[in-house]
Structure formats: structure tokens, C-alpha cells
Amino acid sequence: MCEHKLILLEDACQSIGATYKGKSLGTIGDAGTFSFDFVKTITCAEGGVVMTNNEDIYIKSDGYTDHGHDHQGADRGADLHPFLDTITASANCMRRLAWRRIRKLDTFLGCRKKITKHYVHNLEQIPEISFA
């Protein structure tokens, strides 16, 4: 990937909590994304998360929150607004809600596993259905 200066952006929206070869999905590439709309594993209305350990990607992603402030320096009034974002107020609210939900990830995943076991148990009673 470095040879062509490409970045790997993982769309991990439906796989929060899953791993591949011992690494959490969303942490394998340069950045991982998670959506929190109503059909995802964790919901908080709309919005999502970008995870990265790349400072440039972090700065650019962060610029799309908090009304486009660049968060450079200590004087908020002197911040530049290099990014346009028409939904930053709701994004900030969703970010706080998403953080609360992420802290309960194990509970959400436990509920999903319990429901899955229920479905599998009942579907296994049907002779035409099998699970590999």
C-alpha cells in the first residue's frame, strides 16, 4: 500500500466487536469507520465514529465536527474553519451518545449472541435447515 500512497479505510459498520487474526476490525487499516444508524449493532440515531492512529486522518476527520473548528491553539475564537459541515451540532450530540453506547458494547454483543442462539436453536428443529 505504501508504494502507491494509498490508505486503507475499513468500513466496519456491522462488525464492531469482531476480530480478524487477533485484531479488532476497524483497527487494521489506516482508519476504521462505524455507523450508528438504527440497523447497526450499536445505535444512537445517526452518526458514527472514525478510528485512526494516523494524525493527518485524525485532524481531517476532527475538522468535520464542532462546527468545523480546526482545534489548533488555545483561543477557540481564533480557530480557523477549514471544513464545511452543515450538521455539526447534531454530530456533537451523537458523538456523546455514541461514546456512552460504545462503553456498553459487551452488553450489546451479549444480547445479540443470546438472540442468535435462540434463532439457531429454533431453526435447527427444521429438517431442511442446517448450520455449517
Side-chain angles (χ1 to χ4, degrees):
M1 285 190 300
C2 295
E3 176 184 345
H4 298 288
K5 297 183 182 174
L6 299 175
I7 62 168
L8 174 60
L9 176 61
E10 289 180 74
D11 177 352
C13 293
Q14 292 288 59
S15 60
I16 191 167
T19 60
Y20 175 73
K21 294 186 178 182
K23 290 195 75 169
S24 296
L25 295 182
T27 66
I28 296 169
D30 297 289
T33 61
F34 298 93
S35 173
F36 296 136
D37 76 359
F38 73 99
V39 298
K40 303 302 183 194
T41 304
I42 295 180
T43 63
C44 65
E46 292 292 330
V49 168
V50 175
M51 295 176 28
T52 185
N53 62 2
N54 178 304
E55 186 176 6
D56 186 51
I57 293 172
Y58 168 78
I59 289 169
K60 288 176 180 172
S61 297
D62 185 55
Y64 285 99
T65 65
D66 193 21
H67 308 285
H69 288 271
D70 66 6
H71 302 129
Q72 305 295 311
D75 184 358
R76 183 172 165 81
D79 280 353
L80 298 177
H81 296 80
F83 303 97
L84 297 176
D85 187 357
T86 59
I87 58 169
T88 53
S90 64
N92 286 327
C93 179
M94 292 302 114
R95 181 175 26 174
R96 287 188 291 276
L97 179 57
W99 179 242
R100 289 185 188 111
R101 308 282 280 188
I102 288 171
R103 290 189 298 196
K104 296 180 179 182
L105 177 61
D106 290 338
T107 301
F108 288 111
L109 294 176
C111 290
R112 289 182 69 98
K113 287 178 183 177
K114 185 177 177 181
I115 291 167
T116 299
K117 285 181 182 180
H118 173 77
Y119 276 111
V120 169
H121 172 74
N122 286 293
L123 290 170
E124 283 178 332
Q125 307 309 310
I126 303 169
E128 295 82 13
I129 296 178
S130 65
F131 293 89

